[in-house]
Amino acid sequence: MSLVKARRAVRESVSGLPSAFWWLWISTLVNRLGAFVATFMALYLTLDRGYSAAYAGLVAALHGLGGVVSSLGAGVMTDRLGRRPTLLVAQASTAVTVALLGFMRDPVAIAVVAFLVGMASNASRPAVQAMMADIVRPEDRIRAFSLNYWAINLGFAVSSMAAGFIAEFSYLAGFLLEAGMTMACAIVVFVKLPESRPQAVAADGAGAGGGSEAVSMGTVLRDGRFMGVVVLSFLVALIFQQGMVGLPVAMGEAGFSAADYGMAIAVNGVLIVVLQIPVTRFIEHRDPRRLLVASALLAGYGFGLTAFAGSVGVFALTVCVWTLAEIVNAPTQTGLVVRLSPAQGRGRYQGMYTLSWSVASLVAPLMSGLVIDRYGADWLWGMCAVVGTVAGLGYATLMRRLPAEEPAGPEAPAPAKPEVSAA
């Protein structure tokens, strides 16, 4: 009976979504399965190339800076040129720059190309999220975003394990394999995905020429409620980033090995792969305000509990707490961004949302290192609890009288008739 229930749950989780979504999902999965470079970049630069840890950190920072720069530009491209052209440009550029990075030997050239890789790889995110919002019915969006997040983490878990074996054989092979798989994603987009950008809607008798120009970056910046959500997203992202920057440093200073950290952090990927779909079924039609408040508090206090960890088992337990917050937060937050975005400005809104995570990935390493060096790791975990509390209160305040989702209607079938208009 339990097997029958499990099959029914899986069927209900994946049913009713358009075929275009599944091609986009496959593209995401293939892209993450090939994400080797980010995993072994530090080892490649220090062990294979012989550069210092400081230089490896600089390259990582430049890679992140590239993502910050491209976030807003890619959002504008998504609205102006369309989702499909932006994806094609981003993925093709990523494939070329990743392959090029594998052949660079000069330290300045490596740093410059790493910056370009960061720009290109991050540029696809606003387009993917905007296209997903275009092609999926409003009532199915949380489920769709959750399935996409599940694919990201499944692909990353597999690629992380494969990266070590590939690096032992050849670092260059890793660069070329990632480039090839990213180009395969671009081919999937080119062959299987039509443009999904909503057609311009005339208002008050105006012509259709207002189109995507009706929403500018100024419009986004003046949207007080949405910009408040972006700030809260940045705070939550700062907390989650500590799993990759603050936690390994703190465990190392406490005398734990890299293998101990690997065992603890592996719980994150395993739980996401196992629980993302069933948890999404539970939260799918629940109040997003309560879900985001709860996830912010769970994230903050999950990391806060790390101050009391004295064994690998307890560290793993704290990872369980904040991973549950991540599982709830990721699809709910993305769904909220879509809910607050006008259809003609989804790319720009998603670009601004992506920017909050890109900036957090730059700030978090600096913040965690400074706090741990000057005050100790316990202060960092206490700060996480405070930031989580502030974010939870912020969500509770900002999301009062949340605008209703648009009804499923003319927009849902848009993928069936590709847009034919000059970008």
Side-chain angles (χ1 to χ4, degrees):
M1 179 63 72
S2 59
L3 182 59
V4 173
K5 289 182 178 179
R7 288 177 176 174
R8 184 171 63 228
V10 171
R11 185 169 59 251
E12 290 175 355
S13 297
V14 302
S15 64
L17 296 171
S19 60
F21 165 81
W22 289 112
W23 285 115
L24 191 59
W25 185 89
I26 289 171
S27 174
T28 297
L29 179 61
V30 171
N31 183 276
R32 298 310 299 172
L33 284 171
F36 305 114
V37 172
T39 304
F40 61 63
M41 176 60 78
L43 294 176
Y44 166 70
L45 292 175
T46 54
L47 298 182
D48 192 65
R49 292 285 131 220
Y51 293 113
S52 66
Y55 175 76
L58 172 64
V59 171
L62 287 172
H63 182 276
L65 181 62
V68 171
V69 171
S70 69
S71 295
L72 298 182
V76 174
M77 282 181 62
T78 298
D79 285 338
R80 281 178 174 265
L81 301 181
R83 285 63 160 138
R84 185 170 179 265
T86 303
L87 274 175
L88 289 172
V89 170
Q91 291 176 343
S93 300
T94 301
V96 171
T97 53
V98 165
L100 185 62
L101 185 59
F103 292 99
M104 294 295 101
R105 295 296 179 266
D106 180 75
V108 175
I110 291 174
V112 171
V113 177
F115 173 78
L116 296 177
V117 170
M119 284 188 64
S121 60
N122 197 61
S124 63
R125 293 181 183 179
V128 168
Q129 293 164 343
M131 178 174 277
M132 207 165 290
D134 296 338
I135 64 182
V136 175
R137 296 178 304 176
E139 61 268 28
D140 291 331
R141 282 177 185 155
I142 296 297
R143 181 158 56 101
F145 289 134
S146 181
L147 287 167
N148 190 64
Y149 192 67
W150 183 80
I152 290 171
N153 282 277
L154 177 62
F156 181 74
V158 174
S159 67
S160 296
M161 291 186 289
F165 296 103
I166 294 171
E168 288 185 4
F169 171 71
S170 167
Y171 282 103
L172 179 59
F175 285 101
L176 296 180
L177 187 56
E178 176 167 343
M181 295 186 76
T182 306
M183 190 60 74
C185 295
I187 293 172
V188 169
V189 171
F190 181 76
V191 174
K192 292 294 184 180
L193 286 175
E195 177 57 64
S196 67
R197 182 176 59 171
Q199 295 284 357
V201 178
D204 297 327
S212 61
E213 299 303 320
V215 178
S216 66
M217 286 308 303
T219 304
V220 179
L221 293 171
R222 289 191 296 270
D223 189 336
R225 187 202 294 265
F226 174 75
M227 291 305 299
V229 169
V230 170
V231 172
L232 295 176
S233 170
F234 167 75
L235 294 179
V236 172
L238 273 182
I239 299 174
F240 285 132
Q241 288 288 332
Q242 299 311 318
M244 298 299 174
V245 293
L247 184 60
V249 174
M251 289 185 69
E253 289 195 347
F256 293 93
S257 67
D260 292 331
Y261 167 71
M263 290 177 61
I265 200 64
V267 174
N268 174 256
V270 171
L271 284 181
I272 290 175
V273 171
V274 172
L275 295 181
Q276 185 72 62
I277 293 177
V279 169
T280 299
R281 283 175 51 80
F282 177 75
I283 69 172
E284 188 173 2
H285 300 296
R286 297 182 184 272
D287 183 2
R289 177 187 179 191
R290 293 182 179 179
L291 293 174
L292 289 172
V293 169
S295 66
L297 295 176
L298 276 174
Y301 287 97
F303 277 99
L305 289 173
T306 310
F308 304 99
S311 67
V312 175
V314 179
F315 277 113
L317 182 61
T318 65
V319 172
C320 290
V321 176
W322 58 260
T323 296
L324 181 60
E326 185 179 355
I327 291 171
V328 173
N329 180 272
T332 308
Q333 177 98 323
T334 309
L336 174 63
V337 172
V338 173
R339 194 165 173 177
L340 295 177
S341 308
Q344 302 297 331
R346 280 182 183 145
R348 289 172 171 85
Y349 274 71
Q350 291 290 349
M352 183 63 72
Y353 169 60
T354 301
L355 180 67
S356 68
W357 282 84
S358 299
V359 173
S361 70
L362 278 181
V363 174
L366 302 175
M367 182 188 79
S368 60
L370 181 64
V371 173
I372 291 175
D373 285 344
R374 291 196 176 185
Y375 306 106
D378 288 352
W379 275 85
L380 177 65
W381 308 132
M383 287 176 60
C384 286
V386 172
V387 172
T389 302
V390 171
L393 292 173
Y395 281 122
T397 303
L398 277 177
M399 293 182 63
R400 291 174 179 170
R401 298 181 299 277
L402 188 66
E405 287 187 310
E406 75 271 28
E411 190 182 321
K417 46 177 184 178
E419 178 186 17
V420 182
S421 61

